[in-house]
Amino acid sequence: MTLAEALDPTATHTDMANAIRALSMDAVQKANSGHPGMPMGAADVATVLFTRHLKFDPSAPDWPDRDRFVLSAGHGSMLLYSLLHLTGYAGMDIDQLKAFRQLGSHTAGHPEYGHAAGIETTTGPLGQGLANAVGMALAERMLAARYGSRIVDHYTYVLAGDGCLMEGISHEAVSLAGHLRLSRLIVLFDDNGITIDGKTELSVHDNQLMRFEASGWHVARVDGHDPAAIDAAITTARADDRPSLIACRTVIGYGAPTKAGSEKTHGAPLGEDEIAGARKKLGWPYPPFEIPDEILAAWRAVGARGEAVRADWEGRVAALDNDVRSEFERTAAGDLPLGWEAALDEFKAAMSSEAPKLATRVASQKVLEVLTAAVPEMVGGSADLTGSNGTRTSRHVAVTRDDFSGGYVNYGVREHGMAAAMNGIALHGGLIPYGGTFLVFTDYCRPSIRLSALMGKRVIYVMTHDSIGLGEDGPTHQPVEHLASLRAMPNLLVFRPADVVETAECWALALKHDNTPSILALTRQGVPTLRTEHTAENLCARGGYVLAEASGKRKATLIATGSEAEIAMAARAQLEGDGIPTAVVSMPCFELFAQQDKSYRNAVLGPKSVRVGVEAAVRLGWDALICSDGGFVGMDSFGASAPAGKLYEHFGITADAVVAETKSKL
Ligand SMILES: Cc1ncc(C[n+]2csc(CCOP(=O)(O)OP(=O)(O)O)c2C)c(N)n1
Ligand SMILES: [Mg+2]
């Protein structure tokens, strides 16, 4: 303790940081599991950020104009839980810290969005938090452009470790943030030179400062245990018109007498002796989970400060023009505008009567012309495939580093960064993100799709070129196993519409399911309109439905998705001609169909005896619909490079093949 601190009757910076250290090492010890090193090392950085810069109000965790704090190094979850407890978030009482990592507690192993107020995103997969933060910082700029800086004016702070910066996704995120010059993004790098295997020099020699600088960032380096230096660096970063990286040199496990500075503190309890030694070294004589009143009071005072700032802000919102205010509040709540479905219904009716032959990606673009007019908070984008994905409408203006008023983002060739940024936009609130690439490249963004699903955020993935039907680009670009693998993911809706009408319906469903991300798998090649009779009802809402009933007592049911519905319809005509009453079921969404009651499902699927699935993809996952002895016409290998028509013939996905498969089962 310094003399100045000793003379200060109130809690000092060191006391406050040590409270984080003690809670973290004790909670990990009690759980006999967890990561004490990072919170102990980064406690000073976090204390400076929370006490001197972060704008937040624990009594209103969802305050739209709060600063965002993202703990990208999610294994250091006890740092965040300690801060939430100390600053006074409801639901994070001391018992929660004692129940660290236990079933049903708010203190999951890694921070999980929705488990406790104040957790801005789910982190743990390294690099994701950093990349989410880019989306948050982008959303902030876009909303500031729409509503003005009196209403939207906040920073996004990230605490990231060596691991986050080593992950590939960090390149995409850092590059995108630099390109857009997201000046409200400040990354605090817990630069401790240690990862699980040992010193970082075992595996990396990047000059991180030069790397960020090369992407157009402001960079600085500080002693991560010097509060004044950290404070000054953050102040400078806030004033800079570029995103900022502050490399904070820290000692992992700071305070642990024999293990500090070593990977031994990374991911295991310190042990009773080491903890006793740390208490001595830190000057923290208090028992586990006990924070002296004056130290807790100091932290609570920090937490209480935001209330007045928020009240001021609420006054400014209240003073807004009525229409603007209600639009701000509606979009912040994630509610869709009144009447958005009417425009879509009109579109459906027009398409049913015109019955165009259209690729569903083109159909999707037409739907977006209608939807983005009705739902202005939708933010489109593509990972450099705008023309192919049909994600941009005639109304769209792209955001640039100088003007964020547009509604379209050129994410560049950064699928993973795009998906993670879209998670960040959705988490930020106020905007609904959708973005495109080829379906085959869901593999390039799958970790972020998984987090959309785990967090239950409405992110809409427009994934075009959804089968061998894309043709000449060949097997590298032809998804075969992707639908199956995406359908395996919990809380993800995978839509594969068959025509323009289903495309409109699936878009509507993706928007309505506000706790679930959606994939729209769309064709490159043209498909006919099959739904030529207008229904006001959204038939895709039940996942699958009878598109064409058998003319007599049903003997066979063909179940198809997307572009293969046309093939099933042609096969049905042949089978009916041969005296075999056959129904065609369109199954645009397996997940929604699975949610229907059994009687509906059985009625749609018909007798088990003869069901034949038709999808230009692998069979995995289909047996739930067609049963293990059902027929299937699809793919069991990678595709090939040739015109689409030739490929369908070559791989035997034809009406004749469906007829033969059906007859073989009769
Ligand atoms: C994508 C991903 N890969 C691997 C891991 C497992 N993991 C957790 S922490 C860690 C090392 C991280 O090092 P650093 O960020 O420097 O954290 P520190 O050891 O300094 O706390 C690894 C490999 C992970 N959580 N996410
Ligand atoms: Mg490290």
Side-chain angles (χ1 to χ4, degrees), residues 439 442-443 446 449-450 453 463 466-467 479-498 502 506 516-522 543-544 559-565 585-595 613-626 632-635:
L439 182 64
T442 49
D443 286 341
R446 191 178 173 92
I449 297 174
R450 187 171 192 271
M463 300 305 197
D466 70 350
S467 74
V480 174
E481 74 282 24
H482 297 74
L483 291 167
S485 77
L486 291 164
R487 286 175 184 143
M489 196 182 286
N491 195 39
L492 175 66
L493 296 174
V494 181
F495 292 104
R496 190 165 187 254
E502 282 198 2
C506 292
T516 310
S518 296
I519 303 268
L520 293 164
L522 304 170
I559 307 162
T561 77
S563 41
E564 284 71 72
V585 167
S586 181
M587 188 63 66
C589 184
F590 283 25
E591 297 80 19
L592 291 178
F593 188 69
Q595 290 169 18
V614 194
E615 181 169 69
V618 297
R619 177 170 175 148
L620 186 72
W622 269 87
D623 286 9
L625 298 173
I626 57 180
F632 185 74
V633 173
M635 297 290 292

Side-chain angles (χ1 to χ4, degrees), residues 203-225:
S203 56
V204 66
H205 270 91
D206 294 345
N207 181 325
Q208 295 292 3
L209 266 60
M210 283 171 70
R211 183 165 85 100
F212 279 69
E213 204 165 22
S215 290
W217 287 53
H218 158 70
V219 297
R221 180 185 289 293
V222 297
D223 173 351
H225 300 296

